[in-house]
Amino acid sequence: MSDTHESAATKRMKQYYQDTDFWCEFRYSPAYGLEHQPGVTRRDPTSVILVDGTYHIWFTRSTGPHFGYDSGDLDKATWNWDLADLWHATSPDGVHWTEQGPAVTRGEPGSYDDRSVYTAEILHHDNKFYLVYQVVQHPYLRASLESIAMSSADSPYGPWTKTPEPILRPSFDPGWTPVDPDNPLLGESTGRFDDLRVHDPCLFFRDGKFWLYYKGEHIAEEWNLGGRDIRWGVAFADKPEGPYERSPYNPISNTGHETLLWPHKGGMVGLLTLDGPEANTIQYAPDGINFEIKAYIRNPPIAAGPFRNVDFDASPLAGLSWGMCHVASDDGFGHIMRFDTARDRVVQRNAQRIPF
């Protein structure tokens, strides 16, 4: 057979080998102090930051069982991120953790965050700390709108000051009418990928602006290409508390559940998992918006928060060297573990110099 003939798959494989700096696998180990505890949910840890020799994370914490949207009791928890608060934990080594108690709690009845505050991310910028997170107002129904809010502090230990309103709301059109009033999510889509919920925020300062990456969910969502139709967007602001303006390129992904990104050489790298046609890939966007697949991965960490105090330009995976993630459990009470990036097989493969 002539060596000049190459299938499309062979050509793609060559590209994958050229991009092996983006490829990795993962190892998992206990996060002592944040292990499984019946009756307590710990989930969605933020990125890990190092301040004065101490590692810090924040995470969603709730207690008690959950019953779904259709329990008939509006005061019962729907899911294990409902009726939740944001808690703070510290560690001397990234392995052994101590809960420091609640950092940001639900608001007073009638406030925009009176039902739940959860799924946070942290940004340390100009000696100030910013927590961005999603909120929902009581009651928590299948058609409840979810927004992104912010709290700030001068110390990782708080006290935390909330913004008076969410910093990003869904692009819901109040004129939209469902086909069936008893099923408010059934009907024609508005065409906006984030008209029902904006959440899983991830905040960066780049190019002189604050970039707020987020996950969008839309009305009339259907199962699409093997997963939920969930995509990412990004919005920009001159100040961390906003106002934020959505990118005209939104949505900027066709895949992805939690938003997990880190900077690299002027662009942004993202780990996209769980939902959509490009699930379990690492992608890179030189401009932070137009992402291309660089590697396919296996067994990625769920709701991962990577260690941030690194030289992001050292390698494409510097921003994913290790961190914390959450693990579901059979009894419904998730817990937090540590993940570490493993590249052994890449090293071995390169050493073998597999020819094409």
Side-chain angles (χ1 to χ4, degrees), residues 171-306:
S171 58
F172 177 70
D173 179 359
W176 180 84
T177 303
V179 173
D180 182 352
D182 294 329
N183 294 282
L185 297 190
L186 298 180
E188 296 297 324
S189 171
T190 67
R192 301 184 181 96
F193 83 104
D194 59 356
D195 57 8
L196 181 65
R197 291 170 180 153
V198 291
H199 48 178
D200 285 67
C202 197
L203 185 63
F204 297 90
F205 182 74
R206 47 182 274 112
D207 300 332
K209 287 185 177 291
F210 291 90
W211 290 48
L212 180 66
Y213 290 91
Y214 65 94
K215 177 177 77 178
E217 292 186 45
H218 63 91
I219 293 169
E221 177 191 325
E222 297 179 351
W223 202 257
N224 186 28
L225 298 173
R228 295 178 61 194
D229 190 11
I230 291 178
R231 289 165 283 176
W232 292 358
V234 66
F236 316 106
D238 295 323
K239 299 184 294 183
E241 63 273 16
Y244 281 87
E245 181 178 352
R246 286 169 165 84
S247 169
Y249 290 94
N250 284 353
I252 59 171
S253 79
N254 57 36
T255 296
H257 201 77
E258 300 89 0
T259 53
L260 173 54
L261 303 104
W262 61 96
H264 177 66
K265 293 189 174 179
M268 296 295 293
V269 187
L271 172 61
L272 291 77
T273 62
L274 292 180
D275 294 304
E278 296 175 357
N280 298 344
T281 60
I282 291 179
Q283 302 190 16
Y284 180 61
D287 60 359
I289 291 174
N290 293 287
F291 286 87
E292 298 288 348
I293 295 174
K294 291 296 185 178
Y296 290 86
I297 59 171
R298 299 186 301 174
N299 194 29
I302 303 303

Side-chain angles (χ1 to χ4, degrees), residues 11 68 90 93 96 150 176 179 204 206 239 256 319 321 333 351:
K11 293 176 182 178
T90 59
D93 55 12
H96 300 85
M150 172 184 285
W176 180 84
V179 173
F204 297 90
R206 47 182 274 112
K239 299 184 294 183
S321 58
F333 299 105

Side-chain angles (χ1 to χ4, degrees), residues 90-164:
T90 59
S91 171
D93 55 12
V95 176
H96 300 85
W97 294 86
T98 301
E99 289 186 330
Q100 300 295 331
V104 179
T105 58
R106 286 161 277 171
E108 295 295 323
S111 61
Y112 66 80
D113 59 352
D114 65 355
R115 179 70 186 213
S116 197
V117 295
Y118 53 114
T119 315
E121 184 54 285
I122 185 71
L123 174 66
H124 185 192
H125 176 74
D126 279 351
N127 298 316
K128 203 170 183 69
F129 300 86
Y130 300 94
L131 277 172
V132 287
Y133 47 89
Q134 66 193 77
V135 296
V136 65
Q137 190 172 23
H138 182 81
Y140 195 5
L141 305 173
R142 193 179 301 275
S144 291
L145 303 178
E146 296 180 23
S147 302
I148 294 171
M150 172 184 285
S151 291
S152 59
D154 295 326
S155 163
Y157 296 95
W160 295 91
T161 301
K162 297 180 180 181
T163 52

